[in-house]
């Protein structure tokens, strides 16, 4: 009887192994570049319908409605889209541009919003010309992220 019990348990564990392996494939891993906000590929569909020219110069508002930053450009890195944002845009002379994955931005009506603090924005990776590909195509962002 013990023999059948051991065989049954072993068979059950072997049958469950593919399901356990599949669930571990989707586990969260730490980014190699922690200064760039995490990317989860779930960009706002309303945002992805917009064109690069519609985003350039657009203000970004925080959760409390405060004007936090302005989009300078849209760039690509590893087939992911990023906004180059000016986090000290109150002077019209930018000395602090950072990159932010577009999936962190959301449209609320006609306003572009971001659920981050100004301190978190300041901690993002600084914009480095030449590291990111400038988007030159026309059309909706959803077509440009490939």
């Amino acid at each position: 009887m013990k023999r059948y019990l051991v065989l049954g348990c072993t068979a059950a564990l072997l049958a469950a192994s593919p399901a356990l392996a599949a669930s571990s494939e989707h586990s969260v891993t730490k980014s190699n570049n922690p200064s760039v906000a995490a990317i989860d590929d779930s960009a706002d569909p309303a945002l992805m319908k917009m064109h690069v020219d519609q985003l350039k110069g657009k203000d970004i508002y925080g959760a409390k409605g405060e004007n936090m930053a302005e989009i300078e450009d849209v760039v690509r890195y590893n087939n992911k889209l990023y906004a180059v944002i000016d986090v000290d845009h109150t002077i019209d002379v930018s000395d602090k541009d950072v990159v932010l994955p577009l999936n962190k931005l959301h449209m609320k009506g006609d306003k572009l919003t971001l659920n981050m603090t100004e301190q978190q924005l300041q901690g993002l990776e600084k914009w480095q010309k030449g590291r990111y590909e400038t988007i030159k195509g026309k059309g909706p962002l959803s077509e440009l992220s490939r």
Side-chain angles (χ1 to χ4, degrees):
M1 184 72 164
K2 285 184 183 179
R3 182 176 180 168
Y4 291 115
L5 184 61
V6 170
L7 286 174
C9 289
T10 303
L13 284 173
L14 289 174
S17 294
L20 293 173
S23 67
S24 68
E25 288 176 11
H26 299 290
S27 64
V28 177
T29 58
K30 291 188 178 184
S31 171
N32 291 339
N33 191 352
S35 62
V36 175
I39 299 172
D40 64 3
D41 292 331
S42 59
D44 185 336
L47 180 68
M48 295 308 285
K49 290 179 184 176
M50 297 179 75
H51 295 231
V52 172
D53 291 343
Q54 293 174 302
L55 284 177
K56 285 184 180 180
K58 195 156 183 71
D59 289 327
I60 300 172
Y61 295 88
K64 297 177 183 174
E66 72 279 20
N67 187 334
M68 295 177 64
E70 180 180 310
I71 295 185
E72 296 285 314
D73 206 351
V74 178
V75 295
R76 181 177 18 232
Y77 181 74
N78 285 339
N79 293 325
K80 304 287 182 187
L81 295 177
Y82 294 83
V84 177
I85 59 174
D86 181 2
V87 295
D88 61 352
H89 68 287
T90 56
I91 304 172
D92 280 342
V93 177
S94 176
D95 61 350
K96 176 72 182 206
D97 288 347
V98 297
V99 288
L100 175 78
L102 279 185
N103 61 0
K104 296 293 180 188
L105 297 169
H106 302 282
M107 293 299 298
K108 287 193 180 172
D110 63 343
K111 286 189 175 182
L112 197 54
T113 63
L114 177 64
N115 192 19
M116 291 177 80
T117 65
E118 288 189 44
Q119 185 178 12
Q120 289 171 319
L121 279 177
Q122 294 286 340
L124 292 176
E125 178 181 338
K126 190 172 179 176
W127 163 247
Q128 300 169 34
K129 188 174 182 169
R131 179 170 183 191
Y132 297 85
E133 174 189 355
T134 301
I135 301 294
K136 295 182 181 176
K138 299 221 178 225
L141 293 171
S142 60
E143 294 177 8
L144 301 174
S145 63
R146 299 181 185 116

